[in-house]
């Protein structure tokens, strides 16, 4: 074959291969991003992603820990309370969206129902375990009546005595969680309707089980992927009415399950929590990998639950106590209830001086969300919060004894879930392996194309060098005849070097 033609053919093929590699290099990421956008939009036509959004397939669990009071008598006499942590008591949490309605402005409304099922095999103990905690009905009501006339406080104390309600409760975990019969509760619901958050049995989580979190209306992302999952309204409200400033009453971010794609390390995770009655925001902490999938970890900054003195934007959430406590009385029937991170992690250290038995650590008590930054899909979630009751001695209400002023931890709970099994494999294949294959392909085409072009150039150059060294090869190649200078006859020239 003619070396010149072969070199030209290789040069053309190599150039086309390299150009194809360059096209993939620039167009490939655009194609991948476009596919991510198409597959993430909340749309029934996106069968897989829509089903995952509607009925979250990731197993979620709620682990509950009780602070069992070891010295109730001494506590009532004014000594520091001593607690021991009991649990976890683990419940499988099922989430399901219902009443799904799409709107012309590219939003969708839904009610998300939650139900809990006890998991004995994952728990340390059983729901029949008995623990002792403060009686919220008595000690909470006492603080609420602190500014009432003395006669009213005496009447309230007499009411507690008539219903045999004391300052502490010793009941089973199941009763404290999901409710117990109380004649005092029946009396209050009959004569003071609306005073208590629930009308049936009284329990710490009685209003959570088999209930919904309110009507959320969120953006589908069909018109703008940057808005996907962001809350448009909650229960018809675009802002809250619980707090003192417009900023604190804002409903920011998503509903707390997914976020817009294409995150950076400067991104934050804002979300609205109906249980906390406010919007919260997590910040980037570090990169990581889970089962081969890259992730960003977001955590709660210290400013999230700081008081107004330490962080001015939080002034609207006051009246405040120490940093690390969120006063939710305004959305909890004015009960003196505070939310914090477990064991007062990231809170003012003085809170630890009032209660014995607390040992906060980041690994056990810090909350975090691990996000796949390209899609905004959570891979691993651990939301940890603690419920506290503000207590003190109230004149005229003898049930409060000589209790020292304290923010008393009652329970803390962790809601966690992570991708596993077939979902992880599908996620890893579509969002890690396929993009990785495309990256390798683009560089393979580039290298192959450049190598082919280089080979063609070398082939062409070697032919020219050979021609300069011995022009007779051209004569031989073309079958030319010349006069033999020795005998004068026509014929092919055969040199000694050719014979050899």
């Amino acid at each position: 074959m003619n070396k010149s033609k072969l070199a030209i053919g290789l040069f053309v093929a190599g150039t086309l291969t390299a150009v194809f590699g360059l096209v993939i290099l620039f167009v490939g990421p655009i194609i991948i991003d476009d596919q991510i956008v198409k597959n993430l939009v909340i749309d029934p036509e996106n069968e897989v992603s829509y089903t995952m959004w509607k009925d979250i397939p990731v197993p979620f669990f709620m682990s509950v820990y009780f602070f069992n009071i070891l010295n109730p008598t001494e506590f009532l006499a004014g000594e520091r309370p001593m607690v021991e942590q009991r649990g976890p008591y683990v419940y499988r949490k099922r989430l399901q969206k219902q009443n799904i309605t799409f709107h012309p402005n590219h939003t969708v409304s839904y009610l998300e129902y939650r139900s809990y099922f006890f998991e004995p095999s994952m728990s340390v103990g059983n729901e029949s375990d008995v623990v002792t905690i403060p009686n919220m009905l008595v000690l909470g009501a006492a603080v609420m009546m602190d500014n009432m006339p003395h006669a009213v406080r005496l009447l309230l104390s007499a009411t507690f005595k008539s219903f045999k309600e004391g300052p502490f409760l010793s009941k089973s975990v199941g009763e404290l969680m999901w409710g117990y019969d109380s004649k005092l509760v029946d009396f209050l619901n009959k004569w003071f309707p609306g005073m208590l958050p629930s009308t049936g049995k009284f329990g710490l989580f009685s209003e959570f089980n088999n209930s919904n979190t309110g009507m959320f209306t969120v953006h589908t992302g069909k018109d703008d992927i940057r808005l996907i999952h962001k809350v448009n309204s909650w229960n018809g409200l675009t802002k809250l009415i619980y707090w003192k400033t417009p900023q604190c009453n804002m409903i920011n971010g998503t509903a707390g399950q997914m976020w817009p794609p294409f995150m950076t390390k400067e991104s934050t995770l804002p979300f609205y929590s109906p249980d906390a009655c406010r919007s919260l925001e997590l910040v980037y902490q570090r990169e990581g990998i889970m089962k081969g999938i890259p992730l960003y970890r977001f955590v709660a900054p210290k400013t999230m639950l700081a008081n107004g003195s330490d962080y001015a934007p939080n002034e609207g959430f006051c009246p405040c106590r120490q940093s690390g406590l969120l006063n939710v009385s305004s959305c909890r029937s004015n009960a003196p209830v505070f939310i914090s991170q477990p064991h007062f992690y990231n809170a003012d250290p003085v809170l630890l001086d009032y209660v014995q038995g607390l040992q906060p650590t980041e690994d056990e008590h810090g909350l975090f969300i691990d996000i796949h930054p390209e899609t905004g899909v959570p891979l691993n979630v651990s939301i940890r919060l603690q419920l506290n009751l503000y207590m003190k001695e109230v004149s005229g209400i003898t049930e409060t004894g000589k209790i020292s002023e304290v923010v008393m931890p009652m329970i803390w709970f962790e809601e966690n879930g992570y991708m596993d099994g077939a979902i992880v494999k599908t996620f890893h294949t579509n969002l890690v392996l396929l993009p990785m294959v495309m990256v390798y392909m683009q560089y393979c085409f580039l290298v192959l194309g450049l190598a082919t072009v280089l080979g063609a150039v070398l082939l062409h150059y070697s032919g020219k060098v050979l021609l300069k060294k011995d022009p007779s090869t051209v004569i031989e190649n073309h079958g030319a005849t010349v006069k033999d200078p020795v005998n004068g006859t026509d014929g092919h020239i055969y040199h000694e070097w050719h014979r050899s």
Side-chain angles (χ1 to χ4, degrees), residues 386-431:
Q386 179 172 295
L387 184 66
N388 310 279
L389 182 66
Y390 172 62
M391 300 184 286
K392 67 175 184 177
E393 178 184 356
V394 178
S395 174
I397 303 178
T398 58
E399 285 73 15
T400 61
K402 295 182 179 180
I403 289 178
S404 299
E405 188 175 6
V406 62
V407 177
M408 184 68 187
M410 299 181 64
I411 64 168
W412 75 269
F413 59 92
E414 174 188 20
E415 291 199 335
N416 70 295
Y418 58 91
M419 280 197 178
D420 201 5
I423 301 174
V424 171
K425 292 180 181 178
T426 302
F427 202 86
H428 186 263
T429 299
N430 294 336
L431 296 171

Side-chain angles (χ1 to χ4, degrees), residues 3-170:
K3 288 185 178 182
S4 179
K5 290 183 178 179
L6 177 60
I8 292 173
L10 289 175
F11 183 84
V12 172
T15 302
L16 291 175
T17 302
V19 169
F20 185 65
L22 282 172
V23 170
I24 296 178
L25 179 65
F26 291 103
V27 177
I30 297 175
I31 294 174
I32 293 174
D33 289 352
D34 184 61
Q35 287 302 309
I36 289 175
V37 170
K38 287 181 179 178
N39 289 325
L40 287 180
V41 170
I42 303 175
D43 189 334
E45 294 182 3
N46 291 339
E47 185 174 348
V48 176
S49 59
Y50 178 76
T51 301
M52 287 181 63
W53 171 80
K54 180 176 178 290
D55 301 310
I56 299 175
V58 176
F60 267 87
F61 298 93
M62 181 175 71
S63 301
V64 181
Y65 300 81
F66 282 83
F67 290 104
N68 182 49
I69 300 176
L70 298 176
N71 61 339
T73 303
E74 293 80 2
F75 181 21
L76 195 62
E79 294 185 20
R80 277 201 310 164
M82 182 181 296
V83 299
E84 66 170 353
Q85 180 175 287
R86 300 279 295 274
Y89 300 94
V90 182
Y91 298 84
R92 179 181 292 272
K93 181 180 180 181
R94 185 180 178 220
L95 298 169
Q96 187 177 37
K97 294 179 176 66
Q98 298 182 14
N99 295 15
I100 299 173
T101 305
F102 287 86
H103 307 291
N105 64 341
H106 305 297
T107 61
V108 57
S109 299
Y110 62 88
L111 290 171
E112 184 167 74
Y113 286 84
R114 52 191 175 181
S115 50
Y116 298 89
F117 306 91
F118 185 62
E119 293 283 349
S121 62
M122 301 175 67
S123 303
V124 179
N126 204 289
E127 282 192 307
S128 60
D129 293 349
V130 176
V131 295
T132 300
I133 64 171
N135 189 340
M136 286 185 67
L137 290 174
V138 173
L139 298 179
V143 172
M144 294 168 65
M145 296 294 177
D146 189 27
N147 295 322
M148 298 296 286
H150 189 73
V152 174
R153 283 179 267 143
L154 289 173
L155 178 61
L156 181 64
S157 182
T159 303
F160 290 149
K161 289 179 176 61
S162 66
F163 287 106
K164 298 180 180 180
E165 293 282 351
F168 302 104
L169 285 174
S170 292

Side-chain angles (χ1 to χ4, degrees), residues 109-112 212-217 231-240 242 251 272 274:
S109 299
Y110 62 88
L111 290 171
E112 184 167 74
N212 64 73
T213 54
M215 177 68 76
F216 274 97
T217 301
V231 178
N232 178 262
S233 67
W234 175 74
N235 282 342
L237 302 172
T238 56
K239 61 181 180 180
L240 302 173
Y242 305 129
I251 298 177
Y272 173 65

Side-chain angles (χ1 to χ4, degrees), residues 295-369:
L295 60 84
Y296 285 173
R297 171 160 291 189
F298 291 83
V299 298
K302 278 192 173 184
T303 55
M304 188 173 80
L305 298 180
N307 62 26
S309 300
D310 291 341
Y311 186 62
N314 284 352
E315 184 66 37
F317 295 121
C318 292
C320 299
R321 297 194 64 81
Q322 294 88 348
S323 278
L325 299 173
L326 174 66
N327 186 346
V328 293
S329 59
S330 60
C331 65
R332 289 290 180 266
S333 304
N334 290 318
V337 176
F338 290 79
I339 288 176
S340 69
Q341 293 191 68
H343 287 242
F344 296 130
Y345 172 72
N346 259 353
D348 191 325
V350 74
L351 292 168
L352 297 175
D353 296 335
Y354 298 138
V355 182
Q356 301 178 72
L358 303 180
Q359 296 177 327
T361 64
E362 180 180 1
D363 289 342
E364 293 184 11
H365 307 124
L367 64 85
F368 66 86
I369 298 178

Side-chain angles (χ1 to χ4, degrees), residues 188-205:
L188 292 175
N189 283 329
K190 180 178 180 179
W191 297 103
F192 304 96
M195 182 177 179
L196 298 177
S198 59
T199 55
K201 294 182 177 182
F202 184 80
L204 297 174
F205 283 81

